[in-house]
Amino acid sequence: MFRIIPTQNSDAYMNMALDEACMNAVREKKVKPTVRLFGWNTPSVTIGCFQCVTDEVDMAAIKEDNIPITRRITGGGAVYHDAEITYSVVAPEELFSKNIATSYGQIVKPLMQALNKLGVETRFRALNDVMLGEKKVSGNAQTRKGGVLLQHGTIILSVNEELMFRYLTPDANKNNDKPFIKSNRSAVAGVLREGISSEDVLRAVREELIKTYRAVEQVWSEDELIQARELAKKYASQEWIFLR
Amino acid sequence: MQVATYKIPGGKLVRIKARVEDGRAFGVQISGDFFLAPHEKLVVLEEALEGFSVMDEEAIVEIVEYVLERDSIRVAGFSAQDIAHTMSLLGGSDV
């Protein structure tokens, strides 16, 4: 049985810090495996753990617009977090497949089921994308450490391409193996449409997560919050952001 | 510093930056949108590639596979062959 943390918004640094603190708490068996939905206090940018920050983002634009940026501990690409619902799953590795691609698919399944119930027919595309037609509506990223898996990802509600590509500078080759995508600009989409609000999506996804993981609502432990506040300093530090 | 970028068909993007002297790579930095765990171990892989001839794909595949197994590093989105291929592309454009 999992716990589900009440949906809340935090800043980029605390959002990443809470995931890491939760991983530590699950590893030490101080808390149950955990799932949560969350948001961002302000639009923010995260880059993948192994990305070179100056290759992936326009730091001048980010500074000019005062956009929080941090590096995740998970792989994957750079993300502009704006109109989206973000989720995290933290659990002992053995609850999911050892095979990384398979485990991505397992973890996004309830998200896809929730969207499908709303009439948004999605499909999983290995390694880590959920697609609506030929456009990505959910990007997912994972890490594993000490027997604990963290997967977090987005459910994109709507896309502001102008701002996304003001901050992100993806390599021109990123989609050159995907014949249907002429450029990164057309590669992502949101799930909102007439008759489907962001509240509908949030409600459907939350219900599906509770059902899948037989989750009960619980708040963060005091230890997790204390540790997360410390870890947030790392996520805000220039040393961490410019690690690569 | 030289840079080589390779978008692996059906996989992830790998970028390698290194100084190439007499055909050998030094100060190797690997970046990209791949998956690797534990995340602290990427540096071990980078260090293992120090001094390798960028064109010796066979030796690079061997050392990458050896390090991944020795340190129980799990990757998704690239293979040892992809690292070797990206290394062979060094000597392209300057950073």
Side-chain angles (χ1 to χ4, degrees):
Chain A
M1 188 188 282
F2 278 55
R3 64 176 177 161
I4 183 164
I5 303 291
T7 302
Q8 64 186 45
N9 289 1
S10 298
D11 66 34
Y13 317 118
M14 196 62 179
N15 275 336
M16 296 299 100
L18 283 165
D19 280 346
E20 190 173 348
C22 183
M23 274 189 98
N24 294 337
V26 169
R27 188 180 307 113
E28 291 164 12
K29 301 193 187 330
K30 288 180 176 169
V31 299
K32 292 189 177 86
T34 302
V35 58
R36 69 176 178 126
L37 298 171
F38 60 99
W40 306 72
N41 285 348
T42 58
S44 306
V45 168
T46 65
I47 60 166
C49 187
F50 311 109
Q51 292 190 298
C52 171
V53 62
T54 51
D55 286 346
E56 303 299 331
V57 302
D58 183 336
M59 284 306 295
I62 279 178
K63 278 183 184 156
E64 191 178 325
D65 296 356
N66 211 16
I67 297 292
I69 178 171
T70 190
R71 177 182 297 277
R72 304 188 303 271
I73 54 169
T74 52
V79 181
Y80 172 59
H81 301 275
D82 192 349
E84 70 172 43
I85 295 168
T86 320
Y87 78 90
S88 296
V89 172
V90 177
E93 273 189 82
E94 61 265 23
L95 295 189
F96 298 100
S97 173
K98 273 191 173 178
N99 179 285
I100 291 160
T102 306
S103 66
Y104 270 117
Q106 288 173 325
I107 294 171
V108 298
K109 194 174 170 191
L111 312 177
M112 293 170 60
Q113 283 170 336
L115 292 172
N116 291 352
K117 281 181 181 170
L118 292 171
V120 181
E121 293 288 332
T122 56
R123 65 186 168 85
F124 176 61
R125 184 184 71 184
L127 182 64
N128 55 340
D129 297 331
V130 175
M131 308 295 289
L132 179 62
E134 292 306 323
K135 295 193 176 189
K136 177 158 81 173
V137 291
S138 166
N140 303 277
Q142 194 182 114
T143 191
R144 300 176 183 211
K145 191 175 180 185
V148 175
L149 176 154
L150 158 67
Q151 181 167 313
H152 48 204
T154 62
I155 298 161
I156 302 168
L157 296 171
S158 61
V159 179
N160 184 331
E161 287 195 350
E162 194 183 334
L163 284 179
M164 180 186 297
F165 291 103
R166 173 167 163 73
Y167 306 125
L168 307 187
T169 55
D171 190 275
N173 296 317
K174 184 171 163 62
N175 286 310
N176 68 2
D177 62 333
K178 293 166 189 154
F180 300 104
I181 298 169
K182 294 276 190 281
S183 77
N184 290 308
R185 282 184 182 265
S186 59
V188 294
V191 297
L192 294 190
R193 56 214 55 232
E194 206 175 320
I196 302 178
S197 67
S198 52
E199 291 76 19
D200 294 333
V201 179
L202 183 62
R203 193 180 314 112
V205 172
R206 188 177 152 78
E207 280 174 9
E208 204 62 33
L209 289 175
I210 288 171
K211 194 176 96 182
T212 302
Y213 295 109
R214 293 184 292 132
V216 290
E217 190 165 286
Q218 269 180 22
V219 297
W220 298 111
S221 69
E222 199 54 38
D223 280 356
E224 285 171 300
L225 289 171
I226 290 167
Q227 195 180 116
R229 285 185 202 111
E230 278 305 306
L231 285 166
K233 294 175 192 166
K234 172 187 86 174
Y235 284 101
S237 71
Q238 297 295 294
E239 189 186 1
W240 174 249
I241 296 164
F242 287 89
L243 186 67
R244 291 185 178 278
Chain B
M1 188 76 95
Q2 307 294 112
V3 60
T5 302
Y6 179 43
K7 172 63 179 78
I8 299 147
K12 294 296 179 183
L13 186 142
V14 171
R15 181 172 286 133
I16 298 182
K17 296 176 185 174
R19 274 189 342 274
V20 180
E21 297 169 10
D22 297 330
R24 295 181 181 277
F26 297 94
V28 176
Q29 298 168 36
I30 304 173
S31 60
D33 58 356
F34 48 82
F35 168 97
L36 185 146
H39 66 85
E40 297 91 344
K41 292 282 189 179
L42 180 59
V43 66
V44 177
L45 194 57
E46 292 172 331
E47 284 168 1
L49 291 167
E50 283 292 298
F52 271 78
S53 165
V54 297
M55 299 311 291
D56 192 348
E57 295 198 26
E58 199 176 319
I60 293 169
V61 167
E62 198 174 316
I63 188 68
V64 171
E65 287 178 344
Y66 169 74
V67 169
L68 294 182
E69 187 173 339
R70 183 195 66 190
D71 288 16
S72 302
I73 302 171
R74 300 167 72 180
V75 297
F78 72 77
S79 66
Q81 283 77 12
D82 296 322
I83 295 292
H85 178 68
T86 314
M87 288 281 280
S88 75
L89 300 175
L90 284 168
S93 58
D94 287 337
V95 171

